[in-house]
Amino acid sequence: MSGWIGRLGRSSAVHVSFAFLAMGSWALFANSAHPLPRMLLAGFVQGALSACLTLFLKSAVESLSKRFSGSAAFIAAPLIACLGSASILIVIHTLSGTPEILRTVAVPLAVSTSYAAIYNYSIAIAKGK
């Protein structure tokens, strides 16, 4: 049973789908005090951004894990993920008119940075570092 669970856990489609649903739902909640069209747009934008960022972060962490060694291998990917994600999230939400930008991006940013750190650590452990 652990074989298919392991494959499922490494599946980009699973990571991306979960990010869309979880963070899109968060954005709906964060913007629930605003009119329905704005709330729905914020949820869709955040879901799409989270899906794309998750796919990018997964690939970036895998790539960065090969380029860094030592303590930099543990710090670089999460730091780059946090800075890149924050920039993208704030700019796109500003352009789309999301009412509660800081509330909307706080959880996805924390999750994406944690995701990058944990995934990066799992790669390092799998390599035997």
Side-chain angles (χ1 to χ4, degrees):
M1 191 181 324
S2 65
W4 72 268
I5 291 173
R7 285 190 302 277
L8 193 62
R10 289 186 301 275
S11 167
S12 294
V14 170
H15 287 239
V16 168
S17 298
F18 182 79
F20 181 88
L21 292 172
M23 294 302 111
S25 296
W26 165 254
L28 289 173
F29 175 75
N31 292 278
S32 61
H34 298 276
L36 189 60
R38 293 184 83 189
M39 180 182 76
L40 290 174
L41 180 60
F44 177 76
V45 167
Q46 184 57 56
L49 284 170
S50 290
C52 292
L53 285 172
T54 298
L55 186 59
F56 170 76
L57 288 175
K58 185 175 184 294
S59 302
V61 168
E62 290 168 349
S63 176
L64 288 169
S65 72
K66 296 174 187 172
R67 296 176 188 212
F68 292 96
S69 60
S71 61
F74 289 99
I75 297 168
L79 180 61
I80 291 168
C82 179
L83 296 174
S85 294
S87 300
I88 291 167
L89 289 169
I90 291 169
V91 167
I92 300 296
H93 277 294
T94 299
L95 292 173
S96 71
T98 297
E100 301 288 341
I101 293 174
L102 293 179
R103 286 183 67 198
T104 302
V105 303
V107 170
L109 185 57
V111 170
S112 68
T113 303
S114 299
Y115 169 85
I118 293 166
Y119 189 56
N120 185 54
Y121 181 75
S122 73
I123 291 171
I125 295 302
K127 286 182 180 179
K129 288 186 178 177

